[in-house]
Amino acid sequence: MSIPTETLHLPGLPAEAEIIMDRWGIPHIRAATQEGAFFAQGFQAARDRLWQMDSWRKRGLGLLAGDLGAAYVERDVAARLLLYRGDMEAEWAEYGPEAKAWTTAFVAGINAYVDLVAREPERLPLEFRLLGTEPAHWAPEDVVRCRTHARVRNLDAEVTRNNIAVRHGMEADRFHKLLQPDWTVIIPEGWLAEEVPPEVMRTYLLATDPAAIANGTPTDPMALDAQGSNNWALAPSRTTTGRAILASDPHRVHEQPSLRYITHLTAPGLDVIGAGEPAVPGVSLGHNDVLAFSLTIHPTDQEDLYVYELNAEDPDLYRYEGGWERMRLVEEEVPVRGEAPRRVTLRFTRHGPVLHRDLSRHRAWAVRSVWQLPGNAAYLASLNYLKARSFEDYTKALEGWGAPSSNHVVADVAGNIGWAAAGMVPVRTTSDGLLPVPGDGRHEWEGIMRSSGLPRAKNPECGWLGTANQMNLPEGYDFATRRTGFEWTDGARYARLSEALAGDKRWSVAETLALQSDTTCVPARRLCALLAGLDDAHPAFALLAGWDHRLTAESGPAALFEIWFGRHLVPGVMRNWAPDGVAAMVAVPDTQLVLHLLETDTARRDALLRETLVAAWEDTRKRLGDDPTTWQWGALHQGYFEHPLSRFAPALAAKLDVGPAPRGGSNLTINNNGWRASDFRVISGVSWRMVLDVGDWDQSFTINSPGQSGDPDSPHYRDLFPLWARDESVPLLFSREAVDAAAESRLLLRPTA
């Protein structure tokens, strides 16, 4: 069957390539050379996502004010502080021998599309026309120098813990984070028992905010902390196919266009399909012809806050090893739309960029992060494992993986499954990374531990392995010496995953897809068990007593539970157990601690359960009506992908935004759909998924919401949203025959003579 075909002649194209678009908007790139495949990837990504990618680059490099005006200068200055400024040859070497050539080709492809838009202005995306701006050309270094598009940890937790300890004592920090494994915070020698001012985190969050264009202020850390991811692999002994099955659904803040972009790259010696971020070459989650791979965040502590005494006469001098050391000053110009460029001064200590100085207190605060080391551009190290043929190949490639620290789960066509944690971890011997430290030389990093020093496993007897950001340091791991981190995500998702996969049941691909959509809430089950002993006549107790603890969109009890738990019970626990004032300092209370207190401290518990549940009943009634038989969680809990410009052009919101649609789940279910407190809108969680039938690749499935394209006029801008809202998927086709059968269009790329 013939399909629409377009031919373009492009300067700089290394070799001929073609791009087959399937009916779901997934590009399948076939090129004569590997560099040609990456050129075509950059060209096609820009063709679908040019404004998103251009914004990514300008945000990361500190160039937003040039397009958007003086209100963005502060963000640009913050972003420039966190750029990589080290040796570029060392940087490229960390990502593998082909990374520089592949990235150079990828960027050349982006630039080829930018040039095509300049020649044919009708191709210019709507967003540029709305703003009166133009896309810029890229350099290969732009891809790697931008560090802040995936957060590392744990600066915000350090600052919060410090300030809680100063005001209320270290014991009060347990209401902020439950440390795992069991650990007592080490008070660093010379720790200054004084608060860290809010300007420190403001600068950091301005630099790292994923919604920089839309937000007047930095994104609330609560939205960032509520994220998480799941991945797991089943050995052939645990599947109905007789082959391994791999499942992956990473979770991030919801954006429009989608954070992830699916691509298939085929060239001599290369055949890989999966998802990555549109401005990063290759794919991070997917498979080649023999190996499937996925990742979740392994919440390693990769950064520290350093506090300095400044010289009263010269505040660019800071105390170090008994003397004074001068900050390195970098002068730069920030372009500003509508006015002359702003001249700014960036300050750096030996440890890193200065986030804030308080001259009246003679203090400065700088962040030391793995971002400043070669090899820590987010996800770019995935280039080094695209050709891996085994778990051993893959883990060898992970030695160059820097950030974000991750759990990698893989499966191969021979039936092997494996897990490996990866990331660059500071070696701390005088502190544990949980509090800010003096920058006077007493608390230097003693080196960097790489992935080979982190735990891993292969082919466990139970026939499966997986992660959900839970504490997964194995028994016997020397965490007291290898202080990788003590702050982990709530274990509720992993508890449900472990419960489902226990035993010897054999799983099909369809059942694995269904498990990704599971809305069973383990904390709800535990809390409802506490209610069962109260024998209360209020109708709220009866409604929850007969509930199956599933947060389905259609469930009335789910609506009551989520309103109770999130808006009444957790605040009630903080109000009743935590010292006065602590709750206001904690963006996201530790739900594991909340459950522990309720299950163990019976003296205060029962009255609080009654009081908060009755209040939640009235809250729910006001929101959903007097008849509880009509209540539905999905009536409040709505999936919605908001475009950054829709609030600036409300007349176009219906064209730019996608949604709403009822959603089940919460951030504590495998089907992760975290909501914001103000209106219950889903703001984080799953937007991309895949389940791979390892070896019979065409029987694999994926979803990317709301669509592959970032062009509001494209049929693939919102076509996948209804499927995502119903927890459905589409085929992730790999073989040439299957791709050709599903082809929607073809683009032929030819080098210009």
Side-chain angles (χ1 to χ4, degrees):
M1 181 178 67
S2 63
I3 58 173
T5 299
E6 180 183 9
T7 301
L8 293 173
H9 292 85
L10 301 176
L13 177 66
E16 291 188 358
E18 67 173 341
I19 303 172
I20 306 294
M21 298 295 290
D22 70 24
R23 66 188 64 169
W24 304 285
I26 299 173
H28 302 263
I29 295 167
R30 300 165 182 168
T33 67
Q34 293 178 15
E35 286 76 13
F38 282 95
F39 183 103
Q41 183 189 15
F43 183 86
Q44 175 57 37
R47 189 175 171 222
D48 262 338
R49 302 285 191 95
L50 182 59
W51 185 78
Q52 181 188 30
M53 295 168 68
D54 187 72
S55 300
W56 184 98
R57 175 184 173 275
K58 288 171 179 172
R59 175 172 84 80
L61 292 176
L63 295 170
L64 285 177
D67 276 3
L68 302 175
Y72 290 82
V73 170
E74 188 183 5
R75 286 186 181 274
D76 284 350
V77 173
R80 290 165 184 243
L81 284 169
L82 298 184
L83 286 172
Y84 176 70
R85 295 174 179 269
D87 178 72
M88 285 307 303
E89 287 306 311
E91 170 77 359
W92 288 118
E94 292 289 350
Y95 306 118
E98 296 157 312
K100 185 176 182 179
W102 285 351
T103 305
T104 300
F106 177 80
V107 164
I110 299 172
N111 291 337
Y113 192 74
V114 171
D115 292 338
L116 179 63
V117 167
R119 296 193 301 271
E120 301 178 13
E122 66 275 10
R123 295 181 184 264
L124 186 69
L126 170 65
E127 294 93 338
F128 292 103
R129 298 197 297 271
L130 282 174
L131 294 171
T133 59
E134 296 179 349
H137 286 96
W138 292 54
E141 291 76 16
D142 296 346
V143 175
V144 297
R145 292 188 67 220
C146 298
R147 295 301 213 211
T148 60
H149 292 284
R151 291 271 303 274
V152 296
R153 288 156 182 79
N154 66 339
L155 192 71
D156 51 348
E158 273 188 45
V159 171
T160 299
R161 178 173 297 106
N162 177 88
N163 292 351
I164 287 174
V166 170
R167 293 189 197 178
H168 305 286
M170 190 59 69
E171 169 62 20
D173 180 62
R174 68 190 183 117
F175 295 97
H176 161 227
K177 291 285 186 183
L178 183 67
L179 300 182
Q180 301 176 79
D182 188 32
W183 185 256
T184 300
V185 176
I186 295 174
I187 306 299
E189 181 184 347
W191 175 62
L192 299 171
E194 56 188 38
E195 290 194 39
V196 175
E199 291 86 353
V200 172
M201 280 308 299
R202 176 178 173 82
T203 300
Y204 183 84
L205 291 173
L206 283 170
T208 58
D209 188 1
I213 292 175
N215 284 348
T217 56
T219 295
D220 191 320
M222 184 171 186
L224 302 172
D225 285 350
Q227 301 171 65
S229 303
N230 311 314
N231 62 355
W232 66 92
L234 297 159
S237 62
R238 296 296 309 279
T239 72
T240 61
T241 65
R243 297 176 294 275
I245 292 176
L246 183 140
S248 176
D249 57 303
H251 311 146
R252 293 276 289 277
V253 170
H254 284 180
E255 302 174 297
Q256 175 59 345
S258 169
L259 173 69
R260 292 186 169 82
Y261 187 69
I262 306 170
T263 310
H264 184 185
L265 300 172
T266 306
L270 180 71
D271 196 1
V272 63
I273 189 171
E277 299 189 7
V280 179
V283 300
S284 301
L285 310 105
H287 69 85
N288 58 32
D289 58 323
V290 297
L291 188 74
F293 44 86
S294 65
L295 58 88
T296 70
I297 294 299
H298 184 272
T300 297
D301 184 349
Q302 295 183 292
E303 60 190 355
D304 285 328
L305 186 67
Y306 282 76
V307 188
Y308 304 91
E309 176 192 347
L310 298 181
N311 186 296
E313 303 299 321
D314 184 349
D316 286 332
L317 294 175
Y318 61 95
R319 179 80 66 185
Y320 190 76
E321 289 189 342
W324 298 101
E325 188 163 296
R326 184 164 297 279
M327 295 178 184
R328 180 168 64 94
L329 274 55
V330 176
E331 302 284 334
E332 293 188 352
E333 284 194 347
V334 178
V336 183
R337 183 173 182 168
E339 61 179 76
R342 301 272 184 95
R343 191 81 178 168
V344 300
T345 301
L346 309 176
R347 289 176 167 82
F348 301 86
T349 71
R350 64 168 46 232
H351 301 119
V354 176
L355 300 178
H356 181 62
R357 293 190 304 164
D358 186 332
L359 301 187
S360 65
R361 293 170 58 186
H362 310 300
R363 289 279 184 268
W365 295 263
V367 60
R368 186 176 193 178
S369 171
V370 296
W371 276 334
Q372 294 141 26
L373 303 174
N376 283 275
Y379 304 112
L380 196 68
S382 59
L383 293 176
N384 207 19
Y385 60 61
L386 296 184
K387 296 181 181 180
R389 314 302 290 172
S390 65
F391 181 64
E392 289 69 29
D393 281 353
Y394 193 95
T395 53
K396 182 179 179 181
L398 288 181
E399 199 66 3
W401 186 278
S405 51
S406 305
N407 292 293
H408 294 255
V409 168
V410 304
D412 66 23
V413 295
N416 298 299
I417 61 173
W419 157 68
M424 295 186 188
V425 186
V427 177
R428 305 174 179 92
T429 58
T430 61
S431 72
D432 53 16
L434 293 171
L435 284 171
V437 295
D440 58 10
R442 283 180 282 184
H443 300 287
E444 299 300 315
W445 292 356
E446 301 298 325
I448 292 291
M449 180 171 63
R450 291 183 177 250
S451 301
S452 55
L454 294 173
R456 59 186 54 166
K458 181 180 178 182
N459 295 335
E461 289 186 12
C462 63
W464 77 276
L465 42 74
T467 72
N469 317 113
Q470 83 286 2
M471 203 295 288
N472 61 356
L473 298 178
E475 186 176 352
Y477 188 79
D478 185 8
F479 62 86
T481 301
R482 298 183 174 192
R483 300 168 184 171
T484 62
F486 299 93
E487 298 161 321
W488 305 78
T489 300
D490 190 294
R493 284 181 287 111
Y494 187 75
R496 173 57 183 154
L497 183 64
S498 299
E499 175 182 89
L501 296 178
D504 56 5
K505 170 183 165 59
R506 289 179 174 263
W507 290 75
S508 67
V509 169
E511 289 170 322
T512 306
L513 285 163
L515 184 55
Q516 283 187 325
S517 303
D518 185 88
T519 58
T520 301
C521 183
V522 172
R525 184 193 301 151
R526 292 168 62 182
L527 288 170
C528 287
L530 301 181
L531 294 178
L534 296 185
D535 192 26
D536 198 290
H538 192 281
F541 289 80
L543 187 63
L544 293 181
W547 179 40
D548 61 5
H549 313 117
R550 295 171 61 226
L551 300 177
T552 62
E554 301 79 21
S555 172
L560 174 61
F561 174 80
E562 283 296 291
I563 290 172
W564 175 46
F565 184 66
R567 295 178 61 87
H568 297 274
L569 183 58
V570 171
V573 169
M574 295 294 287
R575 187 171 58 249
N576 281 269
W577 270 276
D580 289 344
V582 169
M585 303 175 70
V586 178
V588 186
D590 194 311
T591 53
Q592 297 177 97
L593 176 67
V594 167
L595 286 166
H596 173 73
L597 289 172
L598 290 168
E599 290 174 333
T600 57
D601 190 344
T602 58
R604 304 192 224 184
R605 176 186 72 198
D606 291 351
L608 180 65
L609 292 175
R610 285 191 179 94
E611 170 196 333
T612 55
L613 184 55
V614 170
W617 176 273
E618 292 304 311
D619 192 350
T620 309
R621 187 180 59 79
K622 290 176 183 177
R623 296 173 186 277
L624 295 176
D626 291 335
D627 184 358
T629 65
T630 66
W631 294 353
Q632 293 192 352
W633 174 222
L636 296 172
H637 191 237
Q638 301 269 313
Y640 194 92
F641 290 81
E642 183 177 1
H643 192 285
L645 297 188
S646 65
R647 67 185 63 187
F648 303 118
L652 291 174
K655 182 182 183 71
L656 296 174
D657 295 352
V658 180
R663 290 292 285 160
S666 76
N667 65 307
L668 298 178
T669 60
I670 291 176
N671 193 353
N672 186 333
N673 292 286
W675 48 271
R676 67 185 182 194
S678 60
D679 62 358
F680 299 94
R681 177 186 287 183
V682 176
I683 57 171
S684 66
V686 60
S687 63
W688 175 85
R689 287 185 176 125
M690 72 176 180
V691 170
L692 302 177
D693 186 341
V694 180
D696 192 0
W697 302 114
D698 290 337
Q699 301 305 310
S700 301
F701 293 87
T702 191
I703 193 67
N704 189 22
S705 186
Q708 278 277 98
S709 177
D711 177 3
D713 293 318
S714 167
H716 298 300
Y717 185 76
R718 62 181 74 233
D719 59 324
L720 299 178
F721 178 76
L723 299 175
W724 170 83
R726 298 193 300 267
D727 291 317
E728 297 177 8
S729 298
V730 301
L732 183 63
L733 302 176
F734 189 64
S735 71
R736 179 178 289 264
E737 297 76 18
V739 170
D740 287 344
E744 180 182 75
S745 66
R746 175 182 287 109
L747 176 63
L748 302 178
L749 303 182
R750 302 287 182 262
T752 299

